[in-house]
């Protein structure tokens, strides 16, 4: 109104297009413009430049990346993407002249040194030819057709170009007149989504693994008492409430003609007995049967482990020595020594804490008795008060084949007391011989017999012979068909002890003795 001209804002001079083949100079001051969208990129980070290879790994990239430091010029007639970066890196550099304005490249989510070169801050980024083959989408790139990128429209004349990469057509070439598609993940897109597989649906599907049809469910255990109820996880029957036996509470095994049964009994909280049975052949091919029974000493530590170690060691020693031609009686002697070494080894495994809390306890200990039956020969060996009986099939006089290492046996042998009086004493079952590190002196007993008739050998612990002490009482308890059905006979003998009170663990093994020619000998 007064004729004065208001001050005008300084308009930056228009940058002339650079000559062909020359690198445009960097402007002294950045021209005004909108800040680059996307996550912040540290200054000095080398921008991703489109190239022929897509970046690998889980980092989001632009259109492509090129690691070479050579200058790249835009191909004539093809739009060149502007370098990525933040506002702190400076303004985008002009590109080669073309009919369409260049759209600034969206910033990358991560700058990878493996796929980009190293450039000093302020060094101009060189434009490169557009990649005719777009890279495959990475795990951090939003899928095509995303709602966040579908609302982009073409820039209006005079408006700044929208951030994003140049759109591509069916073969990956830029499409003229179309808005630029962003290569960086738009706002609101989760970066932890799994990349969608080719031809599959969205990337949010996480299929569960199908169960293996080869793995079948274990059948439910049935109660041993009522034979109808299901056993719960706590070891009791859901129907009758009966506690189910543990692994060693009741054991049965049949190996060829040999059979054995062991039971915890009715008074003890665990089974401290153990057995081992087996068959093999002598060098001449004749069969041989082996049975070993051990009774853990309850006053010692870990008696159940001692009996188990002794029975296994003795059985393994016999099955190894007999096929090599070792005489059965010598093999039995060596087997008892092997069992003793196995029990002694348990004493060395005793933790120091156990000695501090229970210094009065003794080393692990047990008794042992074994039998070897070949064609025409019967060999027994023992230490302690476990016994072996010979029961003929025709029920001719039965014989006890072993002598106890006990206080009662010593009193009888010395003539100080009668057998009935000695075994009625409360000290009767105090043993004077056992396997263990604290044994006074190891004296394995062995004996060989040549029965002249068929029969069975009963190998048992005192949990059985306490209810059938004499040979005649044992013969009455053994079923008549014991030689033909040894497992059934062993079950009957264990039941006999349980019916008598079951005050101790009960273990018995039956070894049938085959018929031999007359005159071979007598037990």
């Amino acid at each position: 109104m007064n004729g004065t001209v208001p001050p005008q804002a300084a308009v930056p001079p228009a940058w002339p297009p650079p000559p062909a083949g020359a690198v445009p100079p960097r402007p002294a001051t950045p021209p005004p413009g909108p800040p680059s969208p996307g996550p912040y990129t540290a200054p000095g980070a080398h921008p991703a430049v489109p190239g022929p290879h897509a970046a690998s790994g889980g980092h989001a990239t632009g259109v492509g990346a090129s690691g070479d430091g050579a200058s790249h010029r835009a191909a004539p007639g093809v739009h060149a993407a502007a370098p990525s970066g933040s506002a702190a890196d400076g303004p985008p550099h002009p590109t080669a002249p073309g009919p369409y304005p260049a759209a600034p490249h969206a910033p990358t989510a991560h700058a990878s040194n493996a796929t980009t070169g190293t450039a000093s801050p302020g060094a101009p980024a060189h434009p490169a030819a557009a990649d005719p083959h777009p890279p495959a989408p990475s795990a951090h790139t939003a899928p095509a057709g995303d709602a966040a990128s579908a609302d982009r429209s073409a820039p209006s004349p005079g408006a700044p170009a929208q951030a994003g990469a140049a759109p591509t057509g069916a073969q990956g070439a830029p499409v003229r007149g179309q808005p630029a598609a962003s290569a960086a993940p738009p706002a609101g897109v989760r970066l932890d989504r799994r990349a969608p597989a080719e031809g599959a649906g969205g990337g949010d599907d996480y299929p569960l693994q199908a169960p293996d049809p080869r793995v079948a469910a274990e059948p439910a255990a049935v109660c041993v008492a009522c034979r109808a109820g299901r056993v719960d996880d706590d070891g009791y029957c859901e129907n009758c409430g009966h506690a189910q036996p543990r692994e060693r509470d009741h054991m049965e095994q049949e190996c060829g003609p040999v059979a054995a049964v062991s039971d915890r009994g009715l008074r003890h909280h665990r089974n401290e007995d153990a057995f081992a049975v087996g068959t093999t052949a002598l060098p001449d091919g004749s069969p041989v049967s082996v049975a070993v029974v051990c009774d853990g000493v309850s006053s010692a530590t870990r008696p159940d482990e001692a009996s188990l170690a002794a029975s296994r060691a003795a059985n393994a020693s016999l099955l190894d020595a007999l096929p090599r031609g070792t005489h059965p009686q010598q093999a039995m002697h060596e087997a008892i020594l092997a069992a003793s070494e196995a029990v002694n080894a348990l004493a060395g495994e005793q933790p120091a804490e156990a000695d501090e809390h229970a210094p009065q306890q003794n080393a692990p200990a047990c008794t042992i008795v074994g039998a070897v039956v070949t064609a025409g020969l019967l060999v027994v060996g023992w230490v302690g008060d476990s016994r072996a009986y010979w029961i003929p099939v025709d029920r001719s006089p039965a014989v006890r084949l072993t002598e106890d290492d006990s206080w009662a046996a010593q009193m009888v042998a010395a003539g100080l007391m009668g057998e009935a009086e000695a075994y009625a004493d409360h000290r009767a079952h105090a043993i004077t011989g056992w396997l263990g590190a604290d044994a006074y002196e190891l004296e394995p007993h062995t004996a060989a017999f040549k029965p002249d008739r068929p029969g069975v050998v009963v190998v048992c612990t005192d949990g059985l012979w306490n209810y059938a002490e004499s040979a005649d009482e044992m013969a009455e308890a053994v079923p008549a068909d014991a030689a033909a059905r040894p497992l059934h006979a062993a079950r009957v003998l264990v039941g006999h002890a349980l019916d008598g009170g079951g005050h101790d663990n009960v273990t018995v093994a039956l070894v049938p003795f085959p018929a031999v020619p007359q005159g071979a000998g007598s037990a």
Side-chain angles (χ1 to χ4, degrees):
M1 297 290 293
N2 55 6
T4 60
V5 180
Q8 300 293 330
V11 179
W15 295 95
V23 178
R26 183 181 181 90
T29 58
S36 301
Y40 173 75
T41 304
H46 187 74
V49 182
H53 301 286
S56 61
H59 302 289
T61 62
V63 178
S66 175
D68 53 6
S71 301
H72 302 281
R73 283 178 289 179
V78 180
H79 173 71
S84 62
S86 65
D89 292 333
H93 300 289
T95 59
Y100 300 99
H105 193 283
T108 59
H110 301 280
S112 174
N113 291 332
T115 56
T116 61
T118 303
S120 59
H126 304 287
D131 189 2
H133 302 285
S138 66
H140 299 285
T141 304
D146 190 273
S149 60
D151 58 350
R152 294 190 178 92
S153 59
S156 59
Q162 188 175 3
T168 57
Q171 301 298 328
V175 180
R176 299 184 178 182
Q178 297 296 332
S182 174
V189 177
R190 289 180 54 184
L191 299 181
D192 58 348
R193 293 180 179 176
R194 182 169 53 89
E198 182 178 357
D204 287 337
D205 298 333
Y206 293 88
L208 299 177
Q209 183 178 3
D212 191 349
R214 297 171 297 179
V215 180
E218 296 182 0
V222 180
C223 177
V224 298
C226 64
R227 298 291 181 181
R230 176 183 175 274
V231 178
D232 203 351
D233 295 337
D234 58 359
Y236 290 85
C237 176
E238 295 179 348
N239 182 41
C240 65
H242 190 278
Q244 302 304 298
R246 290 168 291 185
E247 181 180 2
R248 292 185 62 176
D249 284 353
H250 186 88
M251 300 179 292
E252 297 182 357
Q253 185 178 358
E254 189 173 22
C255 183
V258 192
V261 177
S262 179
D263 193 88
R264 177 172 58 91
L266 305 178
R267 302 295 181 90
H268 281 239
H269 69 283
R270 64 180 177 184
N271 189 1
E272 298 172 356
D273 290 356
F275 66 84
V277 296
T279 58
T280 185
L282 299 178
D284 60 358
S286 58
V288 56
S289 301
V290 173
V292 178
V293 170
C294 297
D295 184 0
V297 179
S298 297
S299 60
T301 60
R302 298 146 63 196
D304 53 334
E305 297 182 25
S307 61
L308 184 62
S311 61
R312 289 179 175 177
N315 184 67
S317 178
L318 288 170
L319 296 180
D320 178 68
L322 292 172
R324 292 188 284 105
T326 305
H327 190 274
Q329 192 167 357
Q330 179 64 26
M332 178 62 71
H333 181 86
E334 295 175 356
I336 295 177
L337 296 179
S340 177
E341 293 177 0
V343 177
N344 294 345
L346 296 178
E349 300 174 1
Q350 184 76 7
E353 294 78 5
D355 296 336
E356 295 177 0
H357 297 295
Q360 75 282 0
Q361 293 185 350
N362 300 324
C366 68
T367 66
I368 186 172
V369 61
V372 176
V373 172
T374 67
L377 183 64
L378 166 61
V379 174
V380 294
W382 74 97
V383 172
D385 61 349
S386 294
R387 296 181 176 179
Y389 293 83
W390 162 250
I391 311 296
V393 174
D394 58 3
R395 288 303 191 265
S396 57
V399 179
R400 196 178 84 191
L401 304 177
T402 60
E403 294 292 338
D404 299 341
D405 290 326
S406 64
W407 179 89
Q410 285 186 347
M411 294 297 103
V412 173
L416 301 177
M417 301 175 68
E419 185 172 353
E421 181 185 3
Y423 281 98
D425 193 277
H426 68 280
R427 297 166 291 180
H429 292 281
I431 59 176
T432 58
W434 62 88
L435 302 181
D438 57 352
Y440 299 117
E441 184 179 357
L442 179 61
E443 296 181 359
H445 309 292
T446 60
F449 306 92
K450 292 184 178 181
D452 58 355
R453 66 201 68 190
V456 293
V457 181
V458 179
V459 185
C460 63
T461 61
D462 59 347
L464 173 60
W465 64 255
N466 279 332
Y467 303 97
E469 185 174 337
S470 66
D472 293 338
E473 292 174 335
M474 185 64 69
E476 292 179 2
V478 175
D481 58 351
R485 302 172 61 193
L487 181 58
H488 169 73
R491 292 170 177 168
V492 170
L493 291 175
V494 170
H496 176 78
L498 297 179
D499 292 342
H503 288 73
D504 200 357
N505 306 142
V506 187
T507 302
V508 57
L510 290 182
V511 188
F513 188 87
V516 295
Q518 294 294 328
S522 60

